[in-house]
Amino acid sequence: MKKKFVNKKEAKQLISKLGDEFAVIKNPGYIHPEYELYPLAEKIRKTNKLVAAVMDMDGTTTTTEVLCIHSLEFMIRKFSGRMDKTIWQGLTEKDYPHIIGNSTTKHVEYLISTYSKSFKKNEIIKSFLFAAVWTIFFGKDQQRKDEVLLNLKSFGCHNLIDDPFIRKFKNINALVDEDKEQISEYLFNKYKNYFNTFGFSDYVRLGIDVYYQRYHEILERIRLGESRFIAEELFSDANKHLIEAMPGIAVFLPMIKGMITEYQELFFDYLIKSYENKTGKTLSNKKIESARKYFYSLCNHFQKLPMKTAIVTSSIFYEADIVLREVFKVIYSELNHLLPDSDFKRNLIEKFSDYNFYYDAVVTASDSSEIRLKPHRDLYSIALYKLNIPKNDFDKVIGFEDSESGTIAIRAAGIGLCAAVPFTQTSGHNFKAASYICKGGIPEVILKHNLFL
C-alpha cells in the first residue's frame, strides 16, 4: 500500500479488509484521538499445535491483584480523608470491572470520576506531597522518580526535595507512622499555597503518584521479608499469603516446557485438588480417569514439543521483578513439597529458583508506555516479537488473561486462541473477546479442555 493519506471512504474500505470483528479502545482523556478501532484475530477454538503461551501476571499467574486494589482504594481514602472503614467501607464489586486489567491511568480516571465528590483539597495536597517525597527518597524505580519530579515542577514546588527538614529523613531505612505524619504536616503547611486549582488531569496525575507510592511501599516491604506484618496490617491475618501462584500454575508451567518427565501421577493429583479448591466442585471418577489419560498425553507431547513462554503485564518492571521473584519462591516450595527426593526433583526445582531461568520473554509496562497498555495490543505484540513467533504461527499461540482488557489485547495482537481465567474480582468482566471462559482457571483448561489441542 503506497498511499499515506486517505479520505473517509477509502479508510472504510481499508478497515473492512482487516477483519469482521473490531474492538473500540477508548484512550485516556488527554490523548488524541478519543478512541481507536482494532481488528481482532478470528477466534480459534481448537488447534493441532501450540508453539507458545503468553500470560498475564496479576490475577492469571499470581494473586497480587488484591494488593493493587488495596493501593487504589488507599488513594481514594487519602484524597477524601476517609481512612476509617467505619466511615467508608471501600471499593465494591461494581468498581472491579473498571480498576482491573487496564492501565493505571484508566483505573485512576475511573476512580476520580466516581469518587471526586468526597475529595478534600487539603487532603489531596497533603497525600501527594508525602507520596512525592517518599518516591524520590525511598522509591526504587527511576522512571517513577522522574515522573513525580515533573509533577512537582508543574506546581512550582520541586525545590522541596532540597528542603533541609525533609532531607534529614533521607537516610532513614524506613519511616514509622510518626515520621510520615510529621513530614506530611510540614510539607502541607509550607507548600500548600503552590496548589491553587485542580483540573481533572491534575487529580489523575496526583492520584497515580499516591497509588504507586503505596503499592511500591508494600512491595519493598515484601522484598525485605515483612509479608506477615503487612498481611496483619492490611487484612488482619498474618498467615495470609500476599503473593501466591494462581491454582494450577505450579503444574502448568513445567508441563508446557516438557519438564514433567516423572511422577506424573503426583502432578495430576495436585491439579485435581487445585481444580476442586478453585471451583468447589468434584469431578466424577469417570471424568478423572479420562482427564488423567489426557494429562499424561500432554506431558509426553510437550516433552517432544516444548512451548515458548512469556509473561505479559501492565505492571512496570520494578513491580513485576519483585512479584515474579516472590511467586517463583512459592512455586519452588510447592514443587519441593510435592515431589519425593530425587535427581528429577532437584533438577526441576532448580529451574524454578529464578523466573529468568524459566521465561523466554518478560514484557512489562516499562517496555511500552502508560498510554499503550492493555487493552491496546502493544505488550502482546512485543511478546510475540521477543519470542520470535512469525505471523503465520500466531494461530499456534495461546493467550491467558483474567480481565476484559487483557482478552481484547490478546485478540488485537493477532492471537485467536484466548482463554479467560477469571478470579473473584474479575468474574463480572465482559469476556466476549475470549475463545473460552474457564471459571475453573488453569486447572479447567488442562483437565476439561486438554489445552484446546
Side-chain angles (χ1 to χ4, degrees):
M1 185 176 66
K2 294 182 179 180
K3 267 194 172 183
K4 292 184 178 180
F5 302 98
V6 296
N7 58 36
K8 187 185 295 186
K9 182 179 179 180
E10 291 172 316
K12 286 181 180 179
Q13 292 174 342
L14 287 173
I15 289 173
S16 67
K17 295 177 182 179
L18 295 177
D20 296 321
E21 188 179 10
F22 293 78
V24 181
I25 308 299
K26 194 175 187 306
N27 283 316
Y30 58 90
I31 295 298
H32 175 81
E34 179 184 353
Y35 59 86
E36 296 177 43
L37 293 175
Y38 280 145
L40 302 181
E42 184 177 349
K43 280 185 182 179
I44 295 174
R45 301 279 295 177
K46 289 285 183 180
T47 184
N48 294 320
K49 183 180 180 181
L50 286 170
V51 299
V54 290
M55 303 181 70
D56 174 49
M57 185 177 74
D58 301 321
T60 300
T61 304
T62 76
T63 58
T64 39
E65 201 69 72
V66 65
L67 299 180
C68 301
I69 293 172
H70 161 81
S71 300
L72 287 167
E73 180 178 301
F74 177 85
M75 181 267 293
I76 298 300
R77 290 191 181 281
K78 294 297 286 186
F79 275 18
S80 62
R82 298 183 295 178
M83 300 303 294
D84 191 334
K85 288 191 175 183
T86 61
I87 299 175
W88 179 54
Q89 287 193 324
L91 301 177
T92 65
E93 289 185 6
K94 71 178 178 62
D95 296 310
Y96 293 154
H98 308 284
I99 62 171
I100 298 174
N102 274 309
S103 66
T104 299
T105 297
K106 296 292 287 183
H107 296 162
V108 173
E109 282 184 341
Y110 164 79
L111 292 174
I112 298 297
S113 298
T114 305
Y115 292 99
S116 60
K117 289 183 179 179
S118 66
F119 294 171
K120 299 174 182 177
K121 182 180 177 180
N122 288 352
E123 298 298 334
I124 295 171
I125 297 170
K126 189 184 296 185
S127 58
F128 163 66
L129 288 172
F130 173 79
V133 166
W134 187 95
T135 301
I136 291 170
F137 286 169
F138 300 99
K140 304 298 183 182
D141 183 72
Q142 187 58 47
Q143 185 177 346
R144 277 272 73 233
K145 293 173 184 277
D146 294 341
E147 290 172 358
V148 164
L149 192 56
L150 281 175
N151 284 339
L152 287 172
K153 285 182 178 178
S154 71
F155 287 101
C157 57
H158 55 284
N159 60 323
L160 67 79
I161 63 175
D162 297 317
D163 190 306
F165 177 82
I166 297 300
R167 293 192 70 83
K168 73 179 184 180
F169 292 94
K170 185 177 181 180
N171 295 322
I172 295 177
N173 290 329
L175 298 175
V176 298
D177 288 343
E178 185 178 345
D179 294 330
K180 293 178 181 179
E181 187 61 31
Q182 191 178 4
I183 291 172
S184 296
E185 287 298 327
Y186 174 83
L187 289 170
F188 174 72
N189 289 327
K190 186 168 182 178
Y191 296 98
K192 62 184 176 182
N193 292 330
Y194 285 81
F195 299 82
N196 296 316
T197 59
F198 290 116
F200 182 78
S201 62
D202 295 320
Y203 281 126
V204 172
R205 287 187 295 127
L206 304 191
I208 288 171
D209 288 344
V210 172
Y211 160 78
Y212 272 123
Q213 181 275 318
R214 180 60 169 176
Y215 187 38
H216 287 192
E217 181 182 24
I218 292 171
L219 289 179
E220 184 62 15
R221 291 182 64 189
I222 290 174
R223 188 184 70 81
L224 295 172
E226 298 181 22
S227 293
R228 287 179 59 83
F229 297 105
I230 302 170
E232 178 65 36
E233 287 177 21
L234 303 189
F235 306 106
S236 302
D237 181 3
N239 294 316
K240 180 180 178 64
H241 293 289
L242 298 176
I243 300 178
E244 292 184 302
M246 293 297 280
I249 289 294
V251 174
F252 176 77
L253 293 185
M255 183 190 76
I256 63 174
K257 282 289 192 181
M259 296 176 180
I260 302 181
T261 58
E262 297 182 33
Y263 302 110
Q264 293 178 354
E265 69 281 2
L266 294 181
F267 284 100
F268 179 77
D269 291 344
Y270 186 88
L271 196 62
I272 289 291
K273 290 179 181 177
S274 296
Y275 174 78
E276 291 175 348
N277 291 336
K278 168 78 173 173
T279 64
K281 299 177 182 178
T282 303
L283 293 175
S284 67
N285 289 335
K286 182 178 180 180
K287 289 183 177 179
I288 288 176
E289 290 311 309
S290 175
R292 187 190 304 275
K293 180 180 70 173
Y294 284 117
F295 175 73
Y296 290 177
S297 177
L298 284 175
C299 291
N300 295 331
H301 171 79
F302 289 119
Q303 288 174 40
K304 300 172 185 175
L305 298 169
M307 295 169 66
K308 295 180 179 180
T309 56
I311 202 82
V312 182
T313 175
S314 291
S315 295
I316 60 177
F317 176 77
Y318 166 74
E319 299 162 354
D321 182 58
I322 292 176
V323 169
L324 289 173
R325 289 188 187 283
E326 290 297 317
V327 82
F328 265 63
K329 288 179 186 177
V330 174
I331 295 173
Y332 182 101
S333 177
E334 289 181 11
L335 294 174
N336 190 38
H337 283 91
L338 175 66
L339 300 167
D341 187 46
S342 63
D343 288 339
F344 167 77
K345 170 183 171 177
R346 285 187 286 274
N347 290 333
L348 180 63
I349 62 176
E350 174 62 25
K351 293 169 184 173
F352 284 90
S353 61
D354 188 320
Y355 72 87
N356 291 297
F357 296 162
Y358 179 85
Y359 289 111
D360 299 291
V362 175
V363 181
T364 73
S366 302
D367 294 299
S368 184
S369 164
E370 176 69 22
I371 63 174
R372 298 297 302 179
L373 305 183
K374 305 170 191 178
H376 293 285
R377 63 174 178 259
D378 298 40
L379 294 181
Y380 280 104
S381 294
I382 292 170
L384 292 169
Y385 173 77
K386 286 190 172 185
L387 292 174
N388 196 28
I389 306 296
K391 285 180 69 175
N392 58 1
D393 276 347
F394 284 6
D395 61 347
K396 301 177 184 67
V397 177
I398 183 169
F400 295 92
E401 272 281 358
D402 62 273
S403 70
E404 176 185 2
S405 292
T407 56
I408 292 171
I410 287 174
R411 292 274 309 288
I415 301 168
L417 182 51
C418 173
V421 285
F423 64 105
T424 303
Q425 283 85 355
T426 60
S427 58
H429 280 212
N430 180 348
F431 290 110
K432 183 181 178 181
S435 307
Y436 289 89
I437 303 172
C438 301
K439 295 183 178 180
I442 293 296
E444 178 182 329
V445 170
I446 300 172
L447 297 172
K448 286 195 168 185
H449 299 289
N450 197 40
L451 209 58
F452 315 112
L453 287 166

